Amino acid sequence: MKSITMNTNVLKFVDQSVSLCKPDKVVWIDGSKELYDSLLAEALKTGEFIKLNQELLPDCYLHRSAVNDVARVEGRTFICCEQKDDAGPTNNWMAPAEAYSKLEGIFDGCMKGRTMYVIPYSMGKVGTPFAKIGIEITDSIYVVLSMRIMTRVGKEILDSLGDSNDFVRGLHSKAELDEEKRYICHFPQDNAIWSVNSGYGGNVLLGKKCFALRIASCLARDEGWLAEHMLILGVTKPDGKTRYICAAFPSACGKTNLAMLIPPEGYRRKGYKIETVGDDIAWIRPGKDGSLYAVNPENGFFGVAPGTNSKSNPNALATTKKDTIFTNVVLNTDDNTVWWEGLGEAPKHAVNWKGQPWTAESGEKGAHPNSRFTAPTVNCPCLSDKFATGEGVKISAFIFGGRRAKTVPLVYQSRSWQHGVFVGSVMASETTAAATGAVGVLRRDPMAMLPFCGYNMSDYFRHWLDMGKKLTNAPKIFNVNWFRTDENGKFIWPGFGDNLRVLDWIIDRCEDAIDARETAIGYVPYAKDINLEGTDVSAETLEGLLEVDKKQWQAEAESIEEHYKKFGDRLPKELREELAGLKDRVAD
Ligand code: GTP
Ligand code: SPV
Ligand code: MN
């Protein structure tokens, strides 16, 4: 097929990839429906896609990944810059020359007998100051059809690129799906990403974590903005004014849910509204007025399926009713629809995520815990108008948070921007199924960026500190924890829609409308200021959720000290001062 651009930089990139991968043919993804339809037909023929009930789920398909390929592989993800120190202590590092030569060996001839697809795409709305272009080369139809949902794809992207060389070069091949030869390599100095031997979303939809976070975090450092693992939501209060909030929680810790929350009945009656701008990634730039403005650079949601239901997240469920690709969920063979744990009664006749006959009585999970839906943003019933315009929304608050069974209260406000950066830098969470490895182990995940920061995390903290200094109207910084558990291991706080009760307090704090209790760790709400009307949470339980236990925080400070050790001298001294301050305040 003929190329659809005259851009010599793009043509050269494609030529080089063809020489290396040796595909039988090359197909340029021009964005036309005819082309997508023919690829879909092929995927249905080979079994890569399964057509679902088109009356109940129009244009929805099921895909199953290989059983050894169901999540991001952090151990095989590399930052390939010249100096190991520039990748820092939290990233795997390989020298660029070594990485290129190792991966060239694997890519060599990997597309023989296959078709190479060239996907021009944009992160951010084309023509806005936020937008950045990528080209992903792949041999996977799943990737093509998923990128169509997750990003803006087509010939118009190449038209907008003109003859520029300013695009991120992404090369992906499923190759043999061999775990031992699986590599996700990032080359910040070349704006390049090479991913091989995986077919799982986070490893292969290169616009997402690879570009929009790992590569973009490097661009953001150099250009004076922030690329963050954050949702963006708007809260409209009864006064009619919308305030926007960005929140960073680690993978599978509640971003999509918070971004789409439905206000509790009492709040709805009073006129509260929630709108979603983004559920996973925020690109944030300072405006002339000294405030920060955020956009969601994606065009779709790649959301966790298990736990999504008409009570926990009806907006997400509605979003997946058409034009959606489901990965690794259960197939209900009675009516050819999908199911996952938490959706309600299990189907009588079904096939599990591995493609085997399955019933709930087996005691095994039917859907993989990291099974996902890939759905267009426009399907979301509560999507913000600001998404379509692509203009940044002014951010009032940043929220950090994670899964903490103990120690961390429901919410607290940092003492200053610098203290807020400290709070983000020491964030910790119990691990989830979103990455391979043990689940439920407490690990420090600064700003939810541990697996996604494309450079030395000490420099990233420095960048955050510096950004704050340039802002005259910086967002206030908070920390939340929806996941405190009781003595039976049950979550104490109802969460989901009820999290608006906490957002409400946060907004009041941003507007200096309410007092708070100063504690050793920051400002905590007076229990009377969290509205519990319509919940079954007692005032006493809330007191417990807001408690700051000095003994626990002494241990926490010790653990933070350990965490900071690995950064050595490169850690900004301001953060060490913040730790010293915390230690002082929690001392007996
Ligand atoms: P990634 O897409 O991996 O970045 O995940 P995410 O941060 O968007 O997480 P998501 O909203 O998909 O939630 C992950 C899991 O956390 C789901 O099983 C949810 O049901 C659960 N969850 C989300 N919000 C809450 C909450 O407020 N309380 C409790 N207890 N669980 C929650
Ligand atoms: C996450 O793990 O944070 C996700 C899913 O949002 S993935 O695209 O796999 O990174
Ligand atoms: Mn995520």
Side-chain angles (χ1 to χ4, degrees), residues 319-335:
T319 303
T320 63
K321 290 297 176 201
K322 57 178 185 182
D323 311 313
T324 296
I325 302 170
F326 297 93
T327 305
N328 293 340
V329 298
V330 171
L331 176 65
N332 178 340
T333 49
D334 284 330
D335 62 1

Side-chain angles (χ1 to χ4, degrees), residues 223-397:
E223 298 169 7
W225 52 282
L226 296 166
E228 300 300 328
H229 190 200
M230 289 180 173
L231 68 93
I232 312 166
L233 93 170
V235 183
T236 307
K237 298 230 306 185
D239 64 7
K241 194 178 143 205
T242 308
R243 289 81 166 168
Y244 295 91
I245 295 175
C246 282
F249 309 147
S251 302
C253 291
K255 290 183 298 303
T256 303
N257 278 273
L258 189 67
M260 298 182 187
L261 83 75
I262 299 212
E265 171 57 27
Y267 277 81
R268 276 202 302 265
R269 252 199 333 263
K270 280 188 223 151
Y272 278 79
K273 280 200 205 81
I274 292 288
E275 57 189 70
T276 308
V277 181
D279 81 323
D280 198 52
I281 297 177
W283 282 2
I284 307 164
R285 290 178 177 271
K288 288 197 185 72
D289 62 352
S291 302
L292 284 179
Y293 290 80
V295 298
N296 166 15
E298 302 192 274
N299 205 27
F301 304 114
F302 184 55
V304 177
T308 307
N309 59 49
S310 56
K311 237 185 120 222
S312 66
N313 195 345
N315 284 317
L317 201 61
T319 303
T320 63
K321 290 297 176 201
K322 57 178 185 182
D323 311 313
T324 296
I325 302 170
F326 297 93
T327 305
N328 293 340
V329 298
V330 171
L331 176 65
N332 178 340
T333 49
D334 284 330
D335 62 1
N336 204 26
T337 58
V338 287
W339 185 85
W340 48 76
E341 276 69 23
L343 190 56
E345 204 187 319
K348 295 274 170 304
H349 303 99
V351 172
N352 69 8
W353 69 273
K354 296 178 192 163
Q356 303 156 338
W358 173 88
T359 62
E361 288 76 52
S362 69
E364 260 181 53
K365 288 206 158 111
H368 188 275
N370 192 39
S371 56
R372 294 206 174 234
F373 55 81
T374 310
T377 313
V378 291
N379 283 5
C380 178
C382 55
L383 186 65
S384 165
D385 292 344
K386 293 289 180 5
F387 178 79
T389 65
E391 65 188 295
V393 295
K394 184 161 150 178
I395 299 305
S396 301

Side-chain angles (χ1 to χ4, degrees), residues 4 29-31 36 119-121 152-159:
I4 52 172
I29 305 302
D30 57 7
Y36 287 132
I119 313 170
Y121 67 95
R152 296 154 171 95
V153 174
K155 183 172 180 320
E156 65 275 17
I157 307 300
L158 289 167
D159 296 343

